[in-house]
Amino acid sequence: MTTQHPVDHDLVQAAAHVARTRCRGDNHTMAAAARARDGRIVTAVNAYHFTGGPCAELVLIGTAAAQGAYDLDTIVAVGDRDRGVVPPCGRCRQVLLDYFPDLKVIVGEGDRVRTVLVTDLLPESYVWADHQLDTD
């Protein structure tokens, strides 16, 4: 059973604002916002490229680290052109799980927006750290 958590509406609004004001053309079509454990909100946009440019969630991980926010609590992605909340793709789900195994992710559409754990988005997942050799 998926555990639901309160929706951080300020986070959704922050991502929607960035999607509305910073996404331009085909290169930047998605925005992400995350709340760090210290309460700060970090935002980013994707960098689309036909070779597989990074999604907004992945750009956000680097942006957060550059700002000293290494522990994220909740993340959301929002599409440009008022597309609303967009769930993370499979690659992003795996990366988010590996970086932040306790992360909450906002998903759903319209009045069905909800917050779930990243582990609920990737049940019975492969956890990279669990399969690394001990170096001790």
Side-chain angles (χ1 to χ4, degrees), residues 54-120:
C55 297
E57 296 94 332
L58 300 185
V59 174
L60 187 133
I61 291 171
T63 301
Q67 296 176 16
Y70 297 101
D71 195 10
L72 302 181
D73 179 73
T74 307
I75 193 167
V76 65
V78 172
D80 67 348
R81 295 169 283 140
D82 295 319
R83 289 185 288 146
V85 172
V86 177
C89 73
R91 177 179 67 170
C92 287
R93 290 174 193 214
Q94 184 67 54
V95 173
L96 292 170
L97 172 71
D98 288 335
Y99 271 74
F100 313 104
D102 298 321
L103 184 70
K104 295 185 287 284
V105 183
I106 300 172
V107 296
E109 297 179 12
D111 60 354
R112 292 183 30 239
V113 171
R114 62 199 181 283
T115 303
V116 298
L117 294 174
V118 68
T119 51
D120 291 335

Side-chain angles (χ1 to χ4, degrees), residues 19-20 23-26 28-31 78-84:
R20 196 171 39 258
C23 289
R24 300 272 191 262
D26 293 338
H28 308 291
T29 59
M30 294 290 299
V78 172
D80 67 348
R81 295 169 283 140
D82 295 319
R83 289 185 288 146

Side-chain angles (χ1 to χ4, degrees), residues 114-136:
R114 62 199 181 283
T115 303
V116 298
L117 294 174
V118 68
T119 51
D120 291 335
L121 295 178
L122 215 57
E124 298 186 42
S125 58
Y126 174 90
V127 178
W128 183 79
D130 291 346
H131 299 278
Q132 301 310 299
L133 296 176
D134 267 343
T135 57
D136 294 338

Side-chain angles (χ1 to χ4, degrees), residues 8 11 14 33-43 60 63-74:
D8 186 337
L11 204 57
R35 187 174 300 279
R37 295 253 181 234
D38 65 10
R40 284 183 287 166
I41 292 178
V42 179
T43 60
L60 187 133
T63 301
Q67 296 176 16
Y70 297 101
D71 195 10
L72 302 181
D73 179 73
T74 307

